[in-house]
Every structure is written in structure tokens, then in C-alpha cells.
Amino acid sequence: MAGPDQQAALRPPPVEPVTDPLTLEAADEALPAVLVRDGRATLTELQAATGQSESVVKRRLERMRATGVLYFDVQFDQEPLGHEVEAMLWFTVAPAALADVGRALAAHPEVRFAAAITGQAGIVASTVYRNSGELYTYLSEKIGALDGVQAVETALTLRLVKQLAYDPGR
């Protein structure tokens, strides 16, 4: 696991507060589309896809990154790493504990995605494990130790149909 300095170096720069929404022009719409296919696309490739000059592409990319419209994330296939069990977890959490439980889940390596939601459950999380024994241990030891968690509903993921923009066939 990466140390604190390495983790800090991998974090994106802070997002500046947006006072006015960023308006994307038609040519700008091509930028994320190209980057979804290849996050390493060069400015020359982005310029060709948009018809804008490289300097305009660079300015638009920086503005989109600075406002949080565009960010870079790494997705990878978990199965070759031996993670064969995926589960969705819905947490019923005391309202006063939502932030603390959310922060705790964000620090768990088993959690790929977590969000505060409306409805009976206050938090939902997508998780991954090597086997069902790890899921059981996670629920009983890590989740069981969190103050404020009143209940957890668990559903195993049988088949992933879509995951953001990740294309395992590439």
C-alpha cells in the first residue's frame, strides 16, 4: 500500500469554487470522449478531434480540470488480482454518524465507491473481496466496529454490466 506522501502525490489538485457554471462548446464535448477512450491522448490528438488549436485545447482542459468538470481516475479489472466477490452494501446509519461512517468507508480498501443517499439507507457502497470469507470478515469486524451503523443490507453482484467508462475489451 502507498505511503501518505505517495497518496498525497496522487491526489488531484484542489478544485477552485465555481461561481458560474462552465459552458461546454460543441468542440469541447469531444475532449472527454477522446479521454475516455485513451486517458493518455496527446494535445495533438485532442486538437485533431476538436478542430481547435493545441493552445485552446490546453486552456479548455485546464479550465475543465480546475473547476472539477474533468478529472482523471484509474479503473482496472479486479478479477485478475484475485478479487472474485463483489457486493453492494446499503447502510442504515444514525444521522449524526453519516459523516463519520462515510469517512471510515472511504478509508477501507474493500470499498470502490461510497455515497450518501436518500431513503431508508443513508449510505451505499460498492465493495470487492477475494472470497465470501473476506466479505463476512469485513462485515463482522470492520463494519461491526463502526459506531452509528444500525443495519447493513448486502447484495452480491452477479454480473457487472456497466462501470463508468471502463472498457475491459480494450
Side-chain angles (χ1 to χ4, degrees):
M1 181 159 233
D5 291 341
Q6 292 170 321
Q7 291 175 6
L10 293 172
R11 281 193 197 95
V15 175
E16 70 182 52
V18 178
T19 53
D20 295 321
L22 182 64
T23 303
L24 293 181
E25 299 169 11
D28 294 331
E29 296 285 343
L31 293 173
V34 171
L35 292 169
V36 162
R37 287 190 306 274
D38 182 2
R40 298 171 298 169
T42 65
L43 286 175
T44 303
E45 292 167 320
L46 294 171
Q47 181 270 327
T50 62
Q52 297 175 327
S53 70
E54 286 186 30
S55 62
V56 169
V57 167
K58 187 174 181 179
R59 278 196 310 274
R60 293 303 289 178
L61 281 174
E62 288 304 316
R63 176 74 176 140
M64 291 166 76
R65 285 188 68 203
T67 58
V69 169
L70 175 69
Y71 64 92
F72 297 96
D73 192 12
V74 176
Q75 295 180 17
F76 55 92
D77 191 357
Q78 295 280 348
E79 199 169 326
L81 298 174
H83 295 104
E84 297 179 5
V85 174
E86 296 181 39
M88 293 296 298
L89 308 178
W90 289 269
F91 297 89
T92 303
V93 179
L98 275 172
D100 289 340
V101 171
R103 279 190 289 275
L105 291 175
H108 293 175
E110 299 87 350
V111 176
R112 298 187 307 178
F113 166 84
I117 59 173
T118 60
Q120 188 165 349
I123 297 178
V124 65
S126 173
T127 60
V128 63
Y129 315 89
R130 294 188 191 284
N131 53 52
S132 60
E134 279 191 6
L135 169 58
Y136 177 82
T137 300
Y138 178 72
L139 291 172
S140 63
E141 294 178 10
K142 285 189 173 178
I143 300 303
L146 293 177
D147 289 332
V149 174
Q150 299 167 338
V152 180
E153 184 177 338
T154 306
L156 294 178
T157 302
L158 300 177
R159 181 172 155 236
L160 187 62
V161 195
K162 182 176 182 180
Q163 178 182 336
L164 295 177
Y166 176 61
D167 180 6
R170 262 195 324 181

mmCIF file of all heavy atoms in Angstrom, residues 87-95 97-98 101-102 104-106 108 110-111 113-127 129 135 138-140 142-155:
data_model
loop_
_atom_site.group_PDB
_atom_site.id
_atom_site.type_symbol
_atom_site.label_atom_id
_atom_site.label_comp_id
_atom_site.label_asym_id
_atom_site.label_seq_id
_atom_site.Cartn_x
_atom_site.Cartn_y
_atom_site.Cartn_z
ATOM 1 N N ALA A 87 -19.863 -6.917 -3.933
ATOM 2 C CA ALA A 87 -21.132 -6.763 -3.227
ATOM 3 C C ALA A 87 -21.508 -5.294 -3.128
ATOM 4 O O ALA A 87 -20.637 -4.424 -3.038
ATOM 5 C CB ALA A 87 -21.037 -7.371 -1.822
ATOM 6 N N MET A 88 -22.795 -5.044 -3.157
ATOM 7 C CA MET A 88 -23.337 -3.715 -2.874
ATOM 8 C C MET A 88 -23.820 -3.744 -1.431
ATOM 9 O O MET A 88 -24.461 -4.715 -1.005
ATOM 10 C CB MET A 88 -24.503 -3.390 -3.801
ATOM 11 C CG MET A 88 -24.109 -3.230 -5.256
ATOM 12 S SD MET A 88 -23.001 -1.834 -5.555
ATOM 13 C CE MET A 88 -24.001 -0.451 -5.055
ATOM 14 N N LEU A 89 -23.524 -2.698 -0.688
ATOM 15 C CA LEU A 89 -23.933 -2.604 0.717
ATOM 16 C C LEU A 89 -24.740 -1.325 0.912
ATOM 17 O O LEU A 89 -24.320 -0.258 0.485
ATOM 18 C CB LEU A 89 -22.703 -2.574 1.633
ATOM 19 C CG LEU A 89 -21.651 -3.669 1.452
ATOM 20 C CD1 LEU A 89 -20.486 -3.441 2.400
ATOM 21 C CD2 LEU A 89 -22.253 -5.042 1.665
ATOM 22 N N TRP A 90 -25.907 -1.463 1.542
ATOM 23 C CA TRP A 90 -26.738 -0.318 1.893
ATOM 24 C C TRP A 90 -26.731 -0.204 3.402
ATOM 25 O O TRP A 90 -27.151 -1.130 4.106
ATOM 26 C CB TRP A 90 -28.161 -0.501 1.381
ATOM 27 C CG TRP A 90 -28.276 -0.399 -0.102
ATOM 28 C CD1 TRP A 90 -28.533 0.709 -0.847
ATOM 29 C CD2 TRP A 90 -28.128 -1.471 -1.046
ATOM 30 N NE1 TRP A 90 -28.548 0.400 -2.181
ATOM 31 C CE2 TRP A 90 -28.309 -0.933 -2.337
ATOM 32 C CE3 TRP A 90 -27.861 -2.838 -0.933
ATOM 33 C CZ2 TRP A 90 -28.238 -1.703 -3.488
ATOM 34 C CZ3 TRP A 90 -27.781 -3.604 -2.080
ATOM 35 C CH2 TRP A 90 -27.974 -3.034 -3.338
ATOM 36 N N PHE A 91 -26.264 0.924 3.905
ATOM 37 C CA PHE A 91 -26.106 1.140 5.343
ATOM 38 C C PHE A 91 -27.225 2.020 5.894
ATOM 39 O O PHE A 91 -27.433 3.121 5.397
ATOM 40 C CB PHE A 91 -24.772 1.844 5.638
ATOM 41 C CG PHE A 91 -23.567 1.046 5.250
ATOM 42 C CD1 PHE A 91 -23.039 1.143 3.978
ATOM 43 C CD2 PHE A 91 -22.960 0.203 6.162
ATOM 44 C CE1 PHE A 91 -21.923 0.413 3.613
ATOM 45 C CE2 PHE A 91 -21.837 -0.534 5.802
ATOM 46 C CZ PHE A 91 -21.324 -0.427 4.528
ATOM 47 N N THR A 92 -27.897 1.533 6.919
ATOM 48 C CA THR A 92 -28.796 2.370 7.696
ATOM 49 C C THR A 92 -27.935 2.930 8.819
ATOM 50 O O THR A 92 -27.378 2.163 9.616
ATOM 51 C CB THR A 92 -29.981 1.561 8.255
ATOM 52 O OG1 THR A 92 -30.657 0.946 7.154
ATOM 53 C CG2 THR A 92 -30.947 2.464 9.023
ATOM 54 N N VAL A 93 -27.802 4.249 8.841
ATOM 55 C CA VAL A 93 -26.868 4.908 9.747
ATOM 56 C C VAL A 93 -27.595 6.000 10.514
ATOM 57 O O VAL A 93 -28.420 6.719 9.944
ATOM 58 C CB VAL A 93 -25.690 5.524 8.940
ATOM 59 C CG1 VAL A 93 -24.706 6.240 9.832
ATOM 60 C CG2 VAL A 93 -24.990 4.452 8.126
ATOM 61 N N ALA A 94 -27.282 6.119 11.793
ATOM 62 C CA ALA A 94 -27.819 7.227 12.578
ATOM 63 C C ALA A 94 -27.400 8.532 11.905
ATOM 64 O O ALA A 94 -26.240 8.675 11.496
ATOM 65 C CB ALA A 94 -27.294 7.165 14.006
ATOM 66 N N PRO A 95 -28.323 9.500 11.774
ATOM 67 C CA PRO A 95 -27.988 10.749 11.071
ATOM 68 C C PRO A 95 -26.725 11.437 11.593
ATOM 69 O O PRO A 95 -25.929 11.943 10.804
ATOM 70 C CB PRO A 95 -29.232 11.613 11.286
ATOM 71 C CG PRO A 95 -30.342 10.623 11.443
ATOM 72 C CD PRO A 95 -29.728 9.456 12.181
ATOM 73 N N ALA A 97 -24.123 10.129 12.601
ATOM 74 C CA ALA A 97 -22.924 9.356 12.292
ATOM 75 C C ALA A 97 -22.627 9.281 10.794
ATOM 76 O O ALA A 97 -21.633 8.673 10.396
ATOM 77 C CB ALA A 97 -23.064 7.947 12.856
ATOM 78 N N LEU A 98 -23.479 9.887 9.957
ATOM 79 C CA LEU A 98 -23.288 9.774 8.500
ATOM 80 C C LEU A 98 -21.890 10.182 8.051
ATOM 81 O O LEU A 98 -21.230 9.448 7.308
ATOM 82 C CB LEU A 98 -24.328 10.615 7.754
ATOM 83 C CG LEU A 98 -25.678 9.961 7.506
ATOM 84 C CD1 LEU A 98 -26.658 10.977 6.939
ATOM 85 C CD2 LEU A 98 -25.548 8.767 6.596
ATOM 86 N N VAL A 101 -19.144 7.687 9.396
ATOM 87 C CA VAL A 101 -19.196 6.396 8.706
ATOM 88 C C VAL A 101 -18.714 6.559 7.268
ATOM 89 O O VAL A 101 -17.946 5.730 6.764
ATOM 90 C CB VAL A 101 -20.617 5.787 8.761
ATOM 91 C CG1 VAL A 101 -20.733 4.562 7.862
ATOM 92 C CG2 VAL A 101 -20.980 5.427 10.204
ATOM 93 N N GLY A 102 -19.112 7.628 6.601
ATOM 94 C CA GLY A 102 -18.647 7.876 5.238
ATOM 95 C C GLY A 102 -17.139 8.001 5.160
ATOM 96 O O GLY A 102 -16.502 7.419 4.273
ATOM 97 N N ALA A 104 -14.978 6.746 7.272
ATOM 98 C CA ALA A 104 -14.407 5.426 7.574
ATOM 99 C C ALA A 104 -14.461 4.529 6.342
ATOM 100 O O ALA A 104 -13.471 3.870 5.995
ATOM 101 C CB ALA A 104 -15.149 4.776 8.740
ATOM 102 N N LEU A 105 -15.598 4.507 5.648
ATOM 103 C CA LEU A 105 -15.724 3.680 4.446
ATOM 104 C C LEU A 105 -14.740 4.123 3.369
ATOM 105 O O LEU A 105 -14.171 3.293 2.656
ATOM 106 C CB LEU A 105 -17.153 3.733 3.909
ATOM 107 C CG LEU A 105 -18.217 3.060 4.765
ATOM 108 C CD1 LEU A 105 -19.606 3.300 4.175
ATOM 109 C CD2 LEU A 105 -17.947 1.579 4.923
ATOM 110 N N ALA A 106 -14.542 5.422 3.232
ATOM 111 C CA ALA A 106 -13.617 5.937 2.222
ATOM 112 C C ALA A 106 -12.195 5.441 2.457
ATOM 113 O O ALA A 106 -11.418 5.316 1.513
ATOM 114 C CB ALA A 106 -13.649 7.464 2.207
ATOM 115 N N HIS A 108 -11.473 2.409 3.693
ATOM 116 C CA HIS A 108 -11.414 0.949 3.579
ATOM 117 C C HIS A 108 -11.005 0.538 2.163
ATOM 118 O O HIS A 108 -11.656 0.932 1.189
ATOM 119 C CB HIS A 108 -12.767 0.321 3.908
ATOM 120 C CG HIS A 108 -13.181 0.473 5.329
ATOM 121 N ND1 HIS A 108 -14.418 0.067 5.784
ATOM 122 C CD2 HIS A 108 -12.542 0.976 6.421
ATOM 123 C CE1 HIS A 108 -14.522 0.314 7.077
ATOM 124 N NE2 HIS A 108 -13.393 0.872 7.486
ATOM 125 N N GLU A 110 -11.517 -2.181 0.700
ATOM 126 C CA GLU A 110 -12.564 -3.005 0.104
ATOM 127 C C GLU A 110 -13.607 -2.166 -0.637
ATOM 128 O O GLU A 110 -14.318 -2.670 -1.500
ATOM 129 C CB GLU A 110 -13.306 -3.820 1.187
ATOM 130 C CG GLU A 110 -12.441 -4.779 1.949
ATOM 131 C CD GLU A 110 -11.747 -4.162 3.166
ATOM 132 O OE1 GLU A 110 -11.772 -2.931 3.348
ATOM 133 O OE2 GLU A 110 -11.162 -4.936 3.931
ATOM 134 N N VAL A 111 -13.704 -0.889 -0.293
ATOM 135 C CA VAL A 111 -14.742 -0.008 -0.840
ATOM 136 C C VAL A 111 -14.228 0.671 -2.102
ATOM 137 O O VAL A 111 -13.262 1.421 -2.070
ATOM 138 C CB VAL A 111 -15.185 1.035 0.206
ATOM 139 C CG1 VAL A 111 -16.181 2.018 -0.390
ATOM 140 C CG2 VAL A 111 -15.767 0.337 1.432
ATOM 141 N N PHE A 113 -16.501 2.394 -4.149
ATOM 142 C CA PHE A 113 -17.360 3.559 -4.324
ATOM 143 C C PHE A 113 -18.264 3.641 -3.108
ATOM 144 O O PHE A 113 -18.761 2.619 -2.636
ATOM 145 C CB PHE A 113 -18.213 3.394 -5.586
ATOM 146 C CG PHE A 113 -19.352 4.372 -5.682
ATOM 147 C CD1 PHE A 113 -19.144 5.637 -6.197
ATOM 148 C CD2 PHE A 113 -20.630 4.040 -5.251
ATOM 149 C CE1 PHE A 113 -20.188 6.550 -6.284
ATOM 150 C CE2 PHE A 113 -21.671 4.949 -5.330
ATOM 151 C CZ PHE A 113 -21.444 6.202 -5.847
ATOM 152 N N ALA A 114 -18.480 4.828 -2.596
ATOM 153 C CA ALA A 114 -19.424 5.035 -1.495
ATOM 154 C C ALA A 114 -20.064 6.407 -1.673
ATOM 155 O O ALA A 114 -19.414 7.343 -2.142
ATOM 156 C CB ALA A 114 -18.735 4.941 -0.141
ATOM 157 N N ALA A 115 -21.343 6.489 -1.300
ATOM 158 C CA ALA A 115 -22.048 7.767 -1.423
ATOM 159 C C ALA A 115 -23.143 7.859 -0.375
ATOM 160 O O ALA A 115 -23.756 6.854 -0.021
ATOM 161 C CB ALA A 115 -22.667 7.892 -2.820
ATOM 162 N N ALA A 116 -23.374 9.075 0.089
ATOM 163 C CA ALA A 116 -24.536 9.338 0.932
ATOM 164 C C ALA A 116 -25.741 9.399 0.004
ATOM 165 O O ALA A 116 -25.665 9.969 -1.091
ATOM 166 C CB ALA A 116 -24.365 10.658 1.681
ATOM 167 N N ILE A 117 -26.834 8.781 0.428
ATOM 168 C CA ILE A 117 -28.024 8.711 -0.410
ATOM 169 C C ILE A 117 -29.262 9.047 0.408
ATOM 170 O O ILE A 117 -29.207 9.126 1.627
ATOM 171 C CB ILE A 117 -28.187 7.304 -1.050
ATOM 172 C CG1 ILE A 117 -28.295 6.228 0.031
ATOM 173 C CG2 ILE A 117 -27.033 7.015 -1.992
ATOM 174 C CD1 ILE A 117 -28.636 4.840 -0.496
ATOM 175 N N THR A 118 -30.385 9.229 -0.286
ATOM 176 C CA THR A 118 -31.657 9.443 0.398
ATOM 177 C C THR A 118 -32.387 8.108 0.479
ATOM 178 O O THR A 118 -32.064 7.163 -0.221
ATOM 179 C CB THR A 118 -32.528 10.452 -0.362
ATOM 180 O OG1 THR A 118 -32.788 9.941 -1.671
ATOM 181 C CG2 THR A 118 -31.848 11.809 -0.459
ATOM 182 N N GLY A 119 -33.366 8.050 1.342
ATOM 183 C CA GLY A 119 -34.134 6.822 1.505
ATOM 184 C C GLY A 119 -33.838 6.192 2.850
ATOM 185 O O GLY A 119 -33.233 6.808 3.726
ATOM 186 N N GLN A 120 -34.265 4.951 3.016
ATOM 187 C CA GLN A 120 -34.067 4.274 4.290
ATOM 188 C C GLN A 120 -32.591 4.104 4.615
ATOM 189 O O GLN A 120 -32.165 4.301 5.740
ATOM 190 C CB GLN A 120 -34.765 2.922 4.291
ATOM 191 C CG GLN A 120 -34.735 2.272 5.661
ATOM 192 C CD GLN A 120 -35.704 1.127 5.763
ATOM 193 O OE1 GLN A 120 -36.544 0.932 4.903
ATOM 194 N NE2 GLN A 120 -35.605 0.374 6.833
ATOM 195 N N ALA A 121 -31.811 3.713 3.621
ATOM 196 C CA ALA A 121 -30.363 3.615 3.818
ATOM 197 C C ALA A 121 -29.772 5.012 3.647
ATOM 198 O O ALA A 121 -30.230 5.787 2.823
ATOM 199 C CB ALA A 121 -29.757 2.655 2.803
ATOM 200 N N GLY A 122 -28.758 5.322 4.429
ATOM 201 C CA GLY A 122 -28.134 6.636 4.327
ATOM 202 C C GLY A 122 -26.863 6.632 3.499
ATOM 203 O O GLY A 122 -26.402 7.664 3.036
ATOM 204 N N ILE A 123 -26.282 5.436 3.318
ATOM 205 C CA ILE A 123 -25.033 5.311 2.568
ATOM 206 C C ILE A 123 -25.103 4.029 1.737
ATOM 207 O O ILE A 123 -25.599 3.001 2.203
ATOM 208 C CB ILE A 123 -23.809 5.247 3.507
ATOM 209 C CG1 ILE A 123 -23.668 6.551 4.299
ATOM 210 C CG2 ILE A 123 -22.528 4.951 2.728
ATOM 211 C CD1 ILE A 123 -22.524 6.565 5.294
ATOM 212 N N VAL A 124 -24.583 4.089 0.529
ATOM 213 C CA VAL A 124 -24.442 2.911 -0.321
ATOM 214 C C VAL A 124 -22.972 2.770 -0.670
ATOM 215 O O VAL A 124 -22.258 3.766 -0.805
ATOM 216 C CB VAL A 124 -25.310 2.993 -1.599
ATOM 217 C CG1 VAL A 124 -24.857 4.124 -2.497
ATOM 218 C CG2 VAL A 124 -25.325 1.677 -2.347
ATOM 219 N N ALA A 125 -22.511 1.513 -0.772
ATOM 220 C CA ALA A 125 -21.117 1.268 -1.128
ATOM 221 C C ALA A 125 -21.010 0.070 -2.057
ATOM 222 O O ALA A 125 -21.741 -0.912 -1.907
ATOM 223 C CB ALA A 125 -20.279 1.022 0.125
ATOM 224 N N SER A 126 -20.088 0.170 -2.999
ATOM 225 C CA SER A 126 -19.730 -0.949 -3.860
ATOM 226 C C SER A 126 -18.409 -1.481 -3.326
ATOM 227 O O SER A 126 -17.459 -0.717 -3.144
ATOM 228 C CB SER A 126 -19.569 -0.471 -5.306
ATOM 229 O OG SER A 126 -19.064 -1.516 -6.107
ATOM 230 N N THR A 127 -18.345 -2.790 -3.066
ATOM 231 C CA THR A 127 -17.182 -3.369 -2.415
ATOM 232 C C THR A 127 -16.675 -4.585 -3.184
ATOM 233 O O THR A 127 -17.403 -5.174 -3.984
ATOM 234 C CB THR A 127 -17.528 -3.775 -0.966
ATOM 235 O OG1 THR A 127 -18.586 -4.733 -0.995
ATOM 236 C CG2 THR A 127 -17.941 -2.573 -0.139
ATOM 237 N N TYR A 129 -13.986 -8.252 -2.778
ATOM 238 C CA TYR A 129 -13.278 -9.163 -1.869
ATOM 239 C C TYR A 129 -12.702 -10.328 -2.665
ATOM 240 O O TYR A 129 -13.163 -10.649 -3.752
ATOM 241 C CB TYR A 129 -14.241 -9.732 -0.806
ATOM 242 C CG TYR A 129 -15.121 -8.679 -0.206
ATOM 243 C CD1 TYR A 129 -16.351 -8.374 -0.781
ATOM 244 C CD2 TYR A 129 -14.714 -7.958 0.902
ATOM 245 C CE1 TYR A 129 -17.149 -7.377 -0.250
ATOM 246 C CE2 TYR A 129 -15.519 -6.959 1.439
ATOM 247 C CZ TYR A 129 -16.733 -6.674 0.849
ATOM 248 O OH TYR A 129 -17.517 -5.692 1.367
ATOM 249 N N LEU A 135 -15.665 -11.162 2.738
ATOM 250 C CA LEU A 135 -16.877 -10.345 2.888
ATOM 251 C C LEU A 135 -17.432 -10.496 4.297
ATOM 252 O O LEU A 135 -17.761 -9.516 4.960
ATOM 253 C CB LEU A 135 -17.932 -10.747 1.847
ATOM 254 C CG LEU A 135 -19.336 -10.188 2.033
ATOM 255 C CD1 LEU A 135 -19.343 -8.666 2.047
ATOM 256 C CD2 LEU A 135 -20.259 -10.721 0.947
ATOM 257 N N TYR A 138 -15.203 -8.705 6.728
ATOM 258 C CA TYR A 138 -15.368 -7.259 6.582
ATOM 259 C C TYR A 138 -16.626 -6.786 7.312
ATOM 260 O O TYR A 138 -16.590 -5.822 8.082
ATOM 261 C CB TYR A 138 -15.437 -6.885 5.093
ATOM 262 C CG TYR A 138 -15.658 -5.406 4.863
ATOM 263 C CD1 TYR A 138 -14.640 -4.498 5.103
ATOM 264 C CD2 TYR A 138 -16.878 -4.927 4.412
ATOM 265 C CE1 TYR A 138 -14.832 -3.139 4.912
ATOM 266 C CE2 TYR A 138 -17.076 -3.572 4.210
ATOM 267 C CZ TYR A 138 -16.050 -2.686 4.459
ATOM 268 O OH TYR A 138 -16.254 -1.338 4.273
ATOM 269 N N LEU A 139 -17.739 -7.477 7.069
ATOM 270 C CA LEU A 139 -18.999 -7.081 7.703
ATOM 271 C C LEU A 139 -18.937 -7.231 9.218
ATOM 272 O O LEU A 139 -19.358 -6.335 9.956
ATOM 273 C CB LEU A 139 -20.160 -7.901 7.138
ATOM 274 C CG LEU A 139 -20.532 -7.624 5.692
ATOM 275 C CD1 LEU A 139 -21.554 -8.638 5.201
ATOM 276 C CD2 LEU A 139 -21.036 -6.208 5.520
ATOM 277 N N SER A 140 -18.409 -8.354 9.683
ATOM 278 C CA SER A 140 -18.434 -8.606 11.124
ATOM 279 C C SER A 140 -17.399 -7.802 11.896
ATOM 280 O O SER A 140 -17.680 -7.349 13.005
ATOM 281 C CB SER A 140 -18.259 -10.103 11.407
ATOM 282 O OG SER A 140 -17.007 -10.553 10.947
ATOM 283 N N LYS A 142 -14.966 -5.031 10.493
ATOM 284 C CA LYS A 142 -14.806 -3.607 10.185
ATOM 285 C C LYS A 142 -16.126 -2.845 10.302
ATOM 286 O O LYS A 142 -16.173 -1.787 10.923
ATOM 287 C CB LYS A 142 -14.199 -3.420 8.798
ATOM 288 C CG LYS A 142 -12.720 -3.721 8.733
ATOM 289 C CD LYS A 142 -12.156 -3.308 7.391
ATOM 290 C CE LYS A 142 -10.656 -3.436 7.357
ATOM 291 N NZ LYS A 142 -10.113 -3.077 6.028
ATOM 292 N N ILE A 143 -17.166 -3.358 9.673
ATOM 293 C CA ILE A 143 -18.447 -2.655 9.721
ATOM 294 C C ILE A 143 -19.059 -2.757 11.114
ATOM 295 O O ILE A 143 -19.594 -1.789 11.648
ATOM 296 C CB ILE A 143 -19.418 -3.178 8.642
ATOM 297 C CG1 ILE A 143 -18.823 -2.969 7.246
ATOM 298 C CG2 ILE A 143 -20.790 -2.523 8.774
ATOM 299 C CD1 ILE A 143 -18.455 -1.546 6.916
ATOM 300 N N GLY A 144 -18.940 -3.928 11.719
ATOM 301 C CA GLY A 144 -19.472 -4.118 13.067
ATOM 302 C C GLY A 144 -18.853 -3.193 14.095
ATOM 303 O O GLY A 144 -19.465 -2.890 15.123
ATOM 304 N N ALA A 145 -17.646 -2.725 13.831
ATOM 305 C CA ALA A 145 -16.950 -1.836 14.770
ATOM 306 C C ALA A 145 -17.303 -0.361 14.579
ATOM 307 O O ALA A 145 -16.903 0.473 15.383
ATOM 308 C CB ALA A 145 -15.443 -2.023 14.624
ATOM 309 N N LEU A 146 -18.050 -0.024 13.528
ATOM 310 C CA LEU A 146 -18.376 1.384 13.264
ATOM 311 C C LEU A 146 -19.569 1.841 14.102
ATOM 312 O O LEU A 146 -20.657 1.269 14.007
ATOM 313 C CB LEU A 146 -18.683 1.590 11.777
ATOM 314 C CG LEU A 146 -17.535 1.414 10.806
ATOM 315 C CD1 LEU A 146 -18.020 1.585 9.363
ATOM 316 C CD2 LEU A 146 -16.415 2.400 11.103
ATOM 317 N N ASP A 147 -19.347 2.870 14.894
ATOM 318 C CA ASP A 147 -20.442 3.462 15.663
ATOM 319 C C ASP A 147 -21.427 4.128 14.721
ATOM 320 O O ASP A 147 -21.029 4.808 13.782
ATOM 321 C CB ASP A 147 -19.905 4.501 16.660
ATOM 322 C CG ASP A 147 -19.138 3.872 17.804
ATOM 323 O OD1 ASP A 147 -19.434 2.707 18.141
ATOM 324 O OD2 ASP A 147 -18.237 4.543 18.348
ATOM 325 N N GLY A 148 -22.696 3.944 14.981
ATOM 326 C CA GLY A 148 -23.734 4.605 14.202
ATOM 327 C C GLY A 148 -24.346 3.737 13.127
ATOM 328 O O GLY A 148 -25.410 4.055 12.608
ATOM 329 N N VAL A 149 -23.687 2.632 12.744
ATOM 330 C CA VAL A 149 -24.266 1.735 11.740
ATOM 331 C C VAL A 149 -25.321 0.891 12.446
ATOM 332 O O VAL A 149 -25.020 0.136 13.366
ATOM 333 C CB VAL A 149 -23.194 0.832 11.082
ATOM 334 C CG1 VAL A 149 -23.852 -0.178 10.150
ATOM 335 C CG2 VAL A 149 -22.184 1.683 10.329
ATOM 336 N N GLN A 150 -26.564 1.055 12.010
ATOM 337 C CA GLN A 150 -27.678 0.345 12.635
ATOM 338 C C GLN A 150 -28.007 -0.952 11.911
ATOM 339 O O GLN A 150 -28.439 -1.918 12.524
ATOM 340 C CB GLN A 150 -28.908 1.256 12.678
ATOM 341 C CG GLN A 150 -28.650 2.507 13.482
ATOM 342 C CD GLN A 150 -29.724 3.560 13.295
ATOM 343 O OE1 GLN A 150 -30.446 3.560 12.302
ATOM 344 N NE2 GLN A 150 -29.806 4.478 14.246
ATOM 345 N N ALA A 151 -27.806 -0.982 10.589
ATOM 346 C CA ALA A 151 -28.088 -2.171 9.792
ATOM 347 C C ALA A 151 -27.356 -2.072 8.468
ATOM 348 O O ALA A 151 -27.035 -0.979 8.008
ATOM 349 C CB ALA A 151 -29.589 -2.306 9.551
ATOM 350 N N VAL A 152 -27.088 -3.236 7.862
ATOM 351 C CA VAL A 152 -26.456 -3.290 6.544
ATOM 352 C C VAL A 152 -27.212 -4.311 5.710
ATOM 353 O O VAL A 152 -27.432 -5.434 6.146
ATOM 354 C CB VAL A 152 -24.979 -3.733 6.615
ATOM 355 C CG1 VAL A 152 -24.361 -3.770 5.222
ATOM 356 C CG2 VAL A 152 -24.188 -2.832 7.527
ATOM 357 N N GLU A 153 -27.651 -3.889 4.533
ATOM 358 C CA GLU A 153 -28.251 -4.820 3.586
ATOM 359 C C GLU A 153 -27.184 -5.122 2.544
ATOM 360 O O GLU A 153 -26.540 -4.221 2.009
ATOM 361 C CB GLU A 153 -29.482 -4.203 2.922
ATOM 362 C CG GLU A 153 -30.199 -5.158 2.013
ATOM 363 C CD GLU A 153 -31.457 -4.575 1.411
ATOM 364 O OE1 GLU A 153 -32.019 -3.617 1.975
ATOM 365 O OE2 GLU A 153 -31.876 -5.080 0.359
ATOM 366 N N THR A 154 -26.975 -6.399 2.254
ATOM 367 C CA THR A 154 -25.908 -6.837 1.357
ATOM 368 C C THR A 154 -26.495 -7.564 0.161
ATOM 369 O O THR A 154 -27.382 -8.395 0.316
ATOM 370 C CB THR A 154 -24.953 -7.800 2.102
ATOM 371 O OG1 THR A 154 -24.492 -7.164 3.282
ATOM 372 C CG2 THR A 154 -23.775 -8.170 1.240
ATOM 373 N N ALA A 155 -25.993 -7.246 -1.029
ATOM 374 C CA ALA A 155 -26.389 -7.962 -2.247
ATOM 375 C C ALA A 155 -25.129 -8.264 -3.047
ATOM 376 O O ALA A 155 -24.350 -7.358 -3.357
ATOM 377 C CB ALA A 155 -27.349 -7.121 -3.073
#
